[in-house]
Amino acid sequence: MDTMPWLTLVIAAPLVGLPVLALWRSISDDAARWVGLGSTLVAFVVSIGMLVTFETGQAGLQMVSKHPWVESIGLSWFVGVDGFSIWLVMVTTFMFPIAVVASWKVDHQVRRFMAVSLFLETVILGAFLALDLLLFFLFFEALLFPMYYVIGVWGSKRRVYAATKFLLYTMFGSAFLLVGILYLSVQAADQLGRPTFDLTLLEQVRLSTEQGRWLFLAFFIGFAVKVPVWPLHTWLPDAHTEAPTKGSIVLAAILLKTGPYGMLRFNLDLFPDASRYFADAIMVLAVVGIIYGAVVAMMQSDIKRLIAYSSVSHMGLIVLGIFAFSAEAIDGAVLQMVNHGLSTGMLFLVFGMLYERTHTREIAELGGIVHATPWLAGAYVIAMLSSIGLPGLNNFVGEFLVLLGTFSVDRVLASIAIVGVILSAIYMLWSYQRAFQGPVSARWSSLPDISWREGALVAPIVVAMLWIGLQPAPVLERLRPTAEQVSQRLIDDAPATDIAADGPAEEAP
Amino acid sequence: MIDVIWLAVALPLVASGANMLAGKRFGGRGAGHRSGWVATAAMTASFVVALGALLQLLSLPAEERTQVVTVAEWIRAGAVSVSFDLRVDPLSITMALVVTGVGSLIHLYAIGYMEHDARPWRFFGYTNLFCAFMLALVLADDFLLLYLGWEGVGLCSYLLIGFWSDRPEAASAAKKAFITTRIGDVALMLGLFVMFMHFGSFEFDTVLGHEGALPEIATGTATAISLLLLGGAVGKSAQLPLHVWLPDAMAGPTPVSALIHAATMVTAGVYLVVRSHALFEVSEVALTVVAIVGISGALYGGLASIGQYDMKRALAYSTMSQLGFMFLAAGLGFYPIAIALLVAHAFYKALLFLASGNVMHGLDDEIDVRRLGGLRLDMPWTAALFAAGALSLSGLPPFSGFFTKDAILEVASHDGVVWAYVLGSLAALVSAWYIARLFFQAFMGERRYQGHAHEAPALMRIPLVVLAAGGLFAGIVLAFTPEGRLATFLEPTLGHIEEGHAGPSTATLIAISVAVTLAGIGIAWRLYRPANEARWTSFPEREPGMSAVLGRAFYVDALYGFVVGTIGLRAGEALSRFDRTVVDGAVNGIGRLTTWASGLAPVWQSGRARRYALSFLAGGAALLLFMVVRI
Amino acid sequence: MISSPRVELWAILPVLVLFAGALVALLGAAFSRRSDQAPFALFTLSVITAAAAASLWLWDREPVNVLQGMASVDRLTVIGTLVLCGIGAYGTYLGFHYFERDDLRRNEFYALLLFALGGMALLVAAADLIVVFLAVEVLSLSLYVLTALTFRRGPIEAAMKYFLLGAFASAFLLYGVALSYGATGTTSVQGLARALTGTVGSQSLALAGALLLVVGLGFKVALVPFHMWTPDVYQGAPSPVTAFMSAATKVAVFIAMIRVFAVGFSALRWDLRPVIAVLAAVSMIVGSVLAISQTDVKRMLAYSSVAQAGFVLTAFVSPERDGIAAALFYLIAYSLAVVGAFGVVMLISGGIGEQTHMDRFRGLGRRRPALSLLLTVFLVSLAGIPPTAGFAAKVLVLGAATTAGLWPLTLIGYLTSVAGAFFYLRIVALMAMQEAEADDVADGSPLPQIVLAVPAFAVVALGIVPGVIVPLLQEAGVLTW
Amino acid sequence: MRTPIAYFLVLSAILFAIGSVAVLVRPNALRIFMGVELQLNAVNLTLVAFSRMHLELDGQILAFFSMVVAAAEVVVGLAIIVAVFRRTATTDVDRASVLRG
Amino acid sequence: MPLDNVVFWVFAPLSIATGIGMIVVRSAVHAALFLVVNFFTIAVMYLLLDAPFLFAVQIIVYAGAIMVLFLFVIMLLGVDQGAGTGERLFGQRTTAVIFGVAVVVELATAIRAGVGFATRAPEGFDSVNAEGNPSALAEVLFRDYFFPFEVTSILLIVAAVAAMVLALRRSKAITQREIAGHAGDDLERYALAPPGGPGTVGGQAP
């Protein structure tokens, strides 16, 4: 066991710059930016340390550290990493510096902006690494306010509405999650003799079938809002659209992942029987989300809204993969979480650059941009191609694995879901055609092309995309053992009687 | 050279990367811009690698002519394990040579053609990238890697059709091409899923069996896989019913049409079917469907071609028709002939496209045959080259078309597949008809265009000459040279094809074939000879009767347009409205309801203390009521 | 002959200190001609400090009942007194600032505040229903006058409503005492407990008595449907008074309720639980929903305090150690935040004119970053968003409810806090996300901001390490009798 | 004593209710306050009755305290009502409704 | 019929009647007088319940002092103040009566279940009042209730201070500033944006 408390360091790393930002009130805007960037880079470096320490080929949790925090109620600082969380952590630390630089041009309340960003990063990292349910919930809820603040203060016109909707909607979901967590811990207290929120202990709590199902639903609703699973998705387009570029990147690339991650980490782990019971229904919801998100995306006239709806579609695919339970599908779903972070993050990033130039999100007002800013458009095309799952780029690998894994479980659903592949091409290319191609209008003909700063932002993402697209092995081999273990628990260890489950539970636990 | 076959893919890829990232800095102006030369050099080098591999292959005994080169691992997850394995065998090397050979020539031509373009490096970047993907496709030893190439070429096709994306029709056509083929791709992907379910692998050896041994698989599963693969092939090769993108794709630069939409990419479907023939053969149904798709494509494409006035569109439908012949051949089990036609077609169709490219180059992109005419006067080279291509295509002996296309009919007759022979001959008649028509209308008669059409520069003629040579004589070479006989060469991959002996004798068939071709040319002459010019140049935009049906290609495109553009859009709008009003409406409705309830506060919280006291008393009474109930 | 009673005055030293201080302050107010209030404020603060010190001195004592069973001295008392002293100190300072700035001579303020605080401290220690009743009266009468202290129309009206309804509620409270007495023959909390566990005779009278006590005390802590005075009074009263009473009254009365219901009526807990659960749920829902449409910040906070009271009551469904600890923690978190929030509102609203309409807060984030940051912290805590004490408090309270098997209450609780997030953060949104319109009347003097930064810090600190006080509260939750 | 103790208790309850109704039906602050006084007296009756029932004096003591409280409340209450009257020239509580909503 | 029963059945209806009378009469003065009679009937009840001391206190404190204070204030503020009996709050009276009756029924149920309607008080109160009711009371008061008794002293001080603060304030202690700021305050300040009302601070809510 490595003696370095890597995970705690990772979680704490973004906070390095916080005291500076908090206390030095007259800090210049530029200095604040650099402090912000520096802190996120520190976090990235530390997370690389974690990645190096991570032992490939192990399914279980690693670098676990556990310290009691509020002993009286059973809360502990319990963090650990496994094949699922490690890449989400990496995406987080990777995308945050980019998001920070992407908002280099934010010009009011820079100090506050950076401080909120750093806090947000810490909280998100905490959510990915926490193994204590209450600790997780703490982080899960703590990311609401900074995000709310980012959208509300630095967003565009309807920002307050969007921020509020985001906050209330996700808190609504959390209500169910909290009830579930508390209920579970009460059961644990009954059975283990002391209150605890420790995931590894809660796994051992015996639940009746009904209890398991209700708890599953409580957890699921909590996460489904964050994902978002259709039909709980309508906060997303508003939040995405109104958020500043950085907010959109963080929201799309990282924040949404807490939902499927929660399902993977908690729902499947704590309630395997209930997971099997509900899997079909959830997969149907996921497929509906895939198609629905894509069709609605097609009809959007606002590019950020379009990308947001495409997220609904893509996230549906991730949920589909998680609840297909096969090893390939879970591999794919986790990989897809990373991929979606990269590709949608990049879409927002590049569109954000464009927005800085044009100040419009309306497709109808754009057009012909490609001729004025070929490099920028090229970057957008790469992100777009990644998003529609072109082989050789990252999304394809995940998408393919999810669909293949799903196909082995349910052919009909997989065959419907795969239509999403066509639809994604339609909405992406159609919007690209209208916004970027066609005759260049005089209004846009003199837009400056991509700058060095912007290029430096795009390049690492493109490299990461190609890398995952062509050599996903380093990623997959670290998450594969974990996925296989989970898949095995769900598929192979299923009790024979459980398959023929009776009707839906009627009474509350 | 086999060991380094990956170079064949890597060279264009590197050149492409270099061109796209730094091509602007390569220097040179116009045709002298070095980006084009870099691209052509990369292609040529790639060709040399492929040629070397061929020679090395030929030096091996026939049974060892399948070599697999592992480059790197790609995906390993769950039970999935896929590597970047390249397969060098007679079939793949044939395809690779076509791609690199014809590709090199077209690149060379494009240097001239693109000389006025503002950003040639981007063009060459894309075409190089295309070739890299196409080579990955044909050299793949694994269906998933093939799929990588498959989607990759689709992407490049998209980029290149939309190269002049300031033209709305180009952007639109690019999108249409990508999406339509993607429908096929999805079928292909589903096919891969079923394949994986059954075989647990995507490797050719596992799926298709070794050494001609058929894979062990139930007929039903084989049918499913085969038909799904065929779905992919139909999309990529523009066969019915996914053909609508190909004519529109002519909005791209002409070298692109020649390279992608005639010589290489569109033939990927044929390659796929031929490559997977082991699966198809398990299922009678699948093969029959392939043949039916083929013959209907051949007829449909040919007839539609007759109705086109846009030269490139006419050639596009012609391509579709020719591809139909290839599918017919594959469906009947004559894989070597399908490949032979593929090779020959690559030559003469590229030639025809490039020749029409010369016309456009010389005439400011004029391409409507009603406004051409008499081009032989100003552009003798081009006219001659076009004629060579036309002759090859029409199937007159001793040119390629005869040894390939008519070979199909001949073998079909020998095998006793009468319907294929009859319909095929009809399609052959139509082929001769449309290609002759095109030549007569564009090159014969008097000039109907304004100004002077200048002949293309040498740079744009030399590749055409090579192609013409190939187009005219490839057939005979491939059919008769003792060592080079394609069917023999391909045997290790495709197995030996026994010819039947049914029907009329070969000589009779040749006679009929020649007669049919001549009849086609005759019809064309009768209808389109310069003397009848007035009949077809004076048509208004919408022609009456049959020509309109042909010109609109039987209204299939219009039907799709209606389904997608009207019904699809309406449905999308409806769903979007549903999302706004119902799904989001419910959310906002809850918010509004709460706010409304909150707004009720002043009704009771009226500031009147007595009201407060009343609610107090009511609360007290209610609590006491609980006590009463409890007792 | 009358046998002399045992007079363990040391046990209620904090209360005595406060009342003595109040009398001295009263005399001072009567004889002082000076308009300078600083000596009064300093004196009051030192009295409160002395009371706090006295109660700290009691910390390590064995829990005892003193004064013929009229008062209890245990850790619950000590913690309650300390919290009350803290709130009282802030009330004093805020009041001083409020009156001083507008140059109003309100020297009685200090005496009345000390009387109220003494009454509250007494209530916290009360172990007999009659003492509960008297202490409630002491604090109420003081608060009625404090509410009216600026003698403007609003405060006067608020005072009258508060008084009339308060007297009405007193009658119910007294009736509850009477019925409890009738049922058991005693009014001491421990006597009640003993009598009720022993016999089953007069359960119905005891239950009726308990319910009327809920009504009477529920009025003081503003539970629905006994809450309707709250918005009017909180809005009408001068802000420092509102800050003081919104926090201190709830702390004192809830602690008294803990003693009365967790000890005295513990035998009836299964009968009372549904009532408590329903009252808690209704309070949370009504308070949260009605707060949404408010446009006056003080009024909004008043409605929200109704919901907060519902949360505290939620912990009562599990009246064991953890439930009590949760309720105490919630009260502490709430007090810190609400005192701070009303304090900042007082500063922003610009003196005695009390311009507390929401528009006043528009765009304040730019012009008054420190004030708006403070208010944001307080509001975020009230909304129960981590990493603030409000979140920890909610988790503890809802955990207690879940432990009691009432998970629907947990759900309702958190769902109402969603609504809570809406109206609390609306202020944050106004401050941070909107441009300023109205002229700025805010008071930017640094000292009050520094003073208010302390609870803000505490709110965050308790949110991160609630563990520092939870064990103490759990000790306090062990009630011996 | 022959009268059942419950009679006194029920009488007390009736008087308490009358007091409550008196609070609710008259807008005059003074008459509202009279209602409260009636309520307190009703409770006193209950206390004394219980005292009799339990054969001890605690109930009477409680009633005594209650009277003191009532007296104190009257002092404060009347002072507030007078103060309101001086400010608004009415003792009608329904008119005092600037605070609402 | 024993005497105490007779007395009860005479005074109990009288008590209820005067209570109702207090509610229904128009004049506040009459209401106060009804209340005085009511207090007197309650005092009689105390007598029946063997509480002679409280009987005396009831008459002296309530009927004597408190009600006189009430009457004094009524006269001070004007006899006709708030005399309007018109129902200005919709349904207030009816609902009040319904809930009043409900409370009576509920409490009676509790009393019946807890005490029983036929239960008579045990004999032997004489021994409790052995040395006379006042002195027995005093003993309990100053022994067991010594502390609450002290608290009542605080309560009375608070009441006195309260009355003083409230009463004295108007005459002199208003500062100049208070008067200056008087003009625009009150109604506008506290009214919550009634539609078209006199300008609320800062305009309408967002």
PDB file of all heavy atoms in Angstrom, chain D residues 4-17:
ATOM      1  N   PRO D   4     -70.715  16.287  41.116  1.00  0.00           N
ATOM      2  CA  PRO D   4     -69.575  15.611  40.481  1.00  0.00           C
ATOM      3  C   PRO D   4     -68.554  16.622  39.976  1.00  0.00           C
ATOM      4  O   PRO D   4     -68.908  17.692  39.470  1.00  0.00           O
ATOM      5  CB  PRO D   4     -70.204  14.850  39.315  1.00  0.00           C
ATOM      6  CG  PRO D   4     -71.627  14.703  39.689  1.00  0.00           C
ATOM      7  CD  PRO D   4     -71.980  15.912  40.492  1.00  0.00           C
ATOM      8  N   ILE D   5     -67.324  16.265  40.124  1.00  0.00           N
ATOM      9  CA  ILE D   5     -66.239  17.198  39.791  1.00  0.00           C
ATOM     10  C   ILE D   5     -66.231  17.520  38.306  1.00  0.00           C
ATOM     11  O   ILE D   5     -65.853  18.596  37.873  1.00  0.00           O
ATOM     12  CB  ILE D   5     -64.881  16.598  40.244  1.00  0.00           C
ATOM     13  CG1 ILE D   5     -63.901  17.724  40.580  1.00  0.00           C
ATOM     14  CG2 ILE D   5     -64.278  15.700  39.201  1.00  0.00           C
ATOM     15  CD1 ILE D   5     -64.178  18.322  41.918  1.00  0.00           C
ATOM     16  N   ALA D   6     -66.691  16.552  37.506  1.00  0.00           N
ATOM     17  CA  ALA D   6     -66.678  16.756  36.068  1.00  0.00           C
ATOM     18  C   ALA D   6     -67.558  17.922  35.660  1.00  0.00           C
ATOM     19  O   ALA D   6     -67.313  18.576  34.649  1.00  0.00           O
ATOM     20  CB  ALA D   6     -67.114  15.478  35.343  1.00  0.00           C
ATOM     21  N   TYR D   7     -68.602  18.193  36.459  1.00  0.00           N
ATOM     22  CA  TYR D   7     -69.485  19.304  36.099  1.00  0.00           C
ATOM     23  C   TYR D   7     -68.719  20.611  36.071  1.00  0.00           C
ATOM     24  O   TYR D   7     -68.889  21.450  35.189  1.00  0.00           O
ATOM     25  CB  TYR D   7     -70.638  19.398  37.110  1.00  0.00           C
ATOM     26  CG  TYR D   7     -71.656  18.286  36.988  1.00  0.00           C
ATOM     27  CD1 TYR D   7     -71.374  17.134  36.253  1.00  0.00           C
ATOM     28  CD2 TYR D   7     -72.897  18.392  37.603  1.00  0.00           C
ATOM     29  CE1 TYR D   7     -72.293  16.117  36.162  1.00  0.00           C
ATOM     30  CE2 TYR D   7     -73.840  17.378  37.510  1.00  0.00           C
ATOM     31  CZ  TYR D   7     -73.528  16.234  36.787  1.00  0.00           C
ATOM     32  OH  TYR D   7     -74.442  15.242  36.692  1.00  0.00           O
ATOM     33  N   PHE D   8     -67.866  20.745  37.066  1.00  0.00           N
ATOM     34  CA  PHE D   8     -67.065  21.973  37.088  1.00  0.00           C
ATOM     35  C   PHE D   8     -66.115  22.028  35.885  1.00  0.00           C
ATOM     36  O   PHE D   8     -65.914  23.076  35.270  1.00  0.00           O
ATOM     37  CB  PHE D   8     -66.254  22.042  38.381  1.00  0.00           C
ATOM     38  CG  PHE D   8     -67.094  22.197  39.602  1.00  0.00           C
ATOM     39  CD1 PHE D   8     -67.475  21.098  40.348  1.00  0.00           C
ATOM     40  CD2 PHE D   8     -67.518  23.463  39.999  1.00  0.00           C
ATOM     41  CE1 PHE D   8     -68.255  21.244  41.484  1.00  0.00           C
ATOM     42  CE2 PHE D   8     -68.293  23.609  41.133  1.00  0.00           C
ATOM     43  CZ  PHE D   8     -68.673  22.500  41.868  1.00  0.00           C
ATOM     44  N   LEU D   9     -65.607  20.861  35.608  1.00  0.00           N
ATOM     45  CA  LEU D   9     -64.644  20.830  34.489  1.00  0.00           C
ATOM     46  C   LEU D   9     -65.331  21.163  33.173  1.00  0.00           C
ATOM     47  O   LEU D   9     -64.812  21.915  32.339  1.00  0.00           O
ATOM     48  CB  LEU D   9     -63.989  19.446  34.406  1.00  0.00           C
ATOM     49  CG  LEU D   9     -63.164  19.053  35.629  1.00  0.00           C
ATOM     50  CD1 LEU D   9     -62.656  17.626  35.496  1.00  0.00           C
ATOM     51  CD2 LEU D   9     -61.991  19.994  35.781  1.00  0.00           C
ATOM     52  N   VAL D  10     -66.528  20.605  32.991  1.00  0.00           N
ATOM     53  CA  VAL D  10     -67.233  20.876  31.738  1.00  0.00           C
ATOM     54  C   VAL D  10     -67.659  22.341  31.694  1.00  0.00           C
ATOM     55  O   VAL D  10     -67.544  23.003  30.647  1.00  0.00           O
ATOM     56  CB  VAL D  10     -68.439  19.935  31.600  1.00  0.00           C
ATOM     57  CG1 VAL D  10     -69.290  20.341  30.411  1.00  0.00           C
ATOM     58  CG2 VAL D  10     -67.964  18.506  31.453  1.00  0.00           C
ATOM     59  N   LEU D  11     -68.118  22.843  32.818  1.00  0.00           N
ATOM     60  CA  LEU D  11     -68.458  24.267  32.847  1.00  0.00           C
ATOM     61  C   LEU D  11     -67.236  25.096  32.445  1.00  0.00           C
ATOM     62  O   LEU D  11     -67.326  26.033  31.645  1.00  0.00           O
ATOM     63  CB  LEU D  11     -68.913  24.655  34.264  1.00  0.00           C
ATOM     64  CG  LEU D  11     -69.122  26.153  34.483  1.00  0.00           C
ATOM     65  CD1 LEU D  11     -70.259  26.672  33.599  1.00  0.00           C
ATOM     66  CD2 LEU D  11     -69.415  26.467  35.951  1.00  0.00           C
ATOM     67  N   SER D  12     -66.123  24.697  32.986  1.00  0.00           N
ATOM     68  CA  SER D  12     -64.894  25.407  32.651  1.00  0.00           C
ATOM     69  C   SER D  12     -64.596  25.336  31.160  1.00  0.00           C
ATOM     70  O   SER D  12     -64.237  26.339  30.535  1.00  0.00           O
ATOM     71  CB  SER D  12     -63.757  24.797  33.464  1.00  0.00           C
ATOM     72  OG  SER D  12     -62.534  25.074  32.861  1.00  0.00           O
ATOM     73  N   ALA D  13     -64.790  24.143  30.623  1.00  0.00           N
ATOM     74  CA  ALA D  13     -64.533  23.996  29.195  1.00  0.00           C
ATOM     75  C   ALA D  13     -65.461  24.889  28.394  1.00  0.00           C
ATOM     76  O   ALA D  13     -65.053  25.531  27.409  1.00  0.00           O
ATOM     77  CB  ALA D  13     -64.722  22.535  28.776  1.00  0.00           C
ATOM     78  N   ILE D  14     -66.740  24.937  28.828  1.00  0.00           N
ATOM     79  CA  ILE D  14     -67.701  25.784  28.098  1.00  0.00           C
ATOM     80  C   ILE D  14     -67.277  27.240  28.183  1.00  0.00           C
ATOM     81  O   ILE D  14     -67.274  27.973  27.185  1.00  0.00           O
ATOM     82  CB  ILE D  14     -69.110  25.581  28.688  1.00  0.00           C
ATOM     83  CG1 ILE D  14     -69.586  24.157  28.385  1.00  0.00           C
ATOM     84  CG2 ILE D  14     -70.079  26.598  28.123  1.00  0.00           C
ATOM     85  CD1 ILE D  14     -70.861  23.776  29.097  1.00  0.00           C
ATOM     86  N   LEU D  15     -66.879  27.652  29.371  1.00  0.00           N
ATOM     87  CA  LEU D  15     -66.456  29.052  29.513  1.00  0.00           C
ATOM     88  C   LEU D  15     -65.211  29.335  28.675  1.00  0.00           C
ATOM     89  O   LEU D  15     -65.072  30.405  28.080  1.00  0.00           O
ATOM     90  CB  LEU D  15     -66.178  29.360  30.981  1.00  0.00           C
ATOM     91  CG  LEU D  15     -67.428  29.416  31.875  1.00  0.00           C
ATOM     92  CD1 LEU D  15     -67.033  29.639  33.322  1.00  0.00           C
ATOM     93  CD2 LEU D  15     -68.382  30.502  31.415  1.00  0.00           C
ATOM     94  N   PHE D  16     -64.336  28.364  28.634  1.00  0.00           N
ATOM     95  CA  PHE D  16     -63.120  28.538  27.814  1.00  0.00           C
ATOM     96  C   PHE D  16     -63.504  28.738  26.356  1.00  0.00           C
ATOM     97  O   PHE D  16     -62.989  29.617  25.664  1.00  0.00           O
ATOM     98  CB  PHE D  16     -62.241  27.294  27.973  1.00  0.00           C
ATOM     99  CG  PHE D  16     -60.908  27.401  27.292  1.00  0.00           C
ATOM    100  CD1 PHE D  16     -59.841  28.026  27.924  1.00  0.00           C
ATOM    101  CD2 PHE D  16     -60.714  26.901  26.016  1.00  0.00           C
ATOM    102  CE1 PHE D  16     -58.618  28.129  27.306  1.00  0.00           C
ATOM    103  CE2 PHE D  16     -59.492  27.013  25.384  1.00  0.00           C
ATOM    104  CZ  PHE D  16     -58.440  27.624  26.040  1.00  0.00           C
ATOM    105  N   ALA D  17     -64.442  27.903  25.920  1.00  0.00           N
ATOM    106  CA  ALA D  17     -64.862  28.021  24.517  1.00  0.00           C
ATOM    107  C   ALA D  17     -65.545  29.355  24.288  1.00  0.00           C
ATOM    108  O   ALA D  17     -65.324  30.006  23.245  1.00  0.00           O
ATOM    109  CB  ALA D  17     -65.804  26.867  24.174  1.00  0.00           C
TER     110      ALA D  17
END
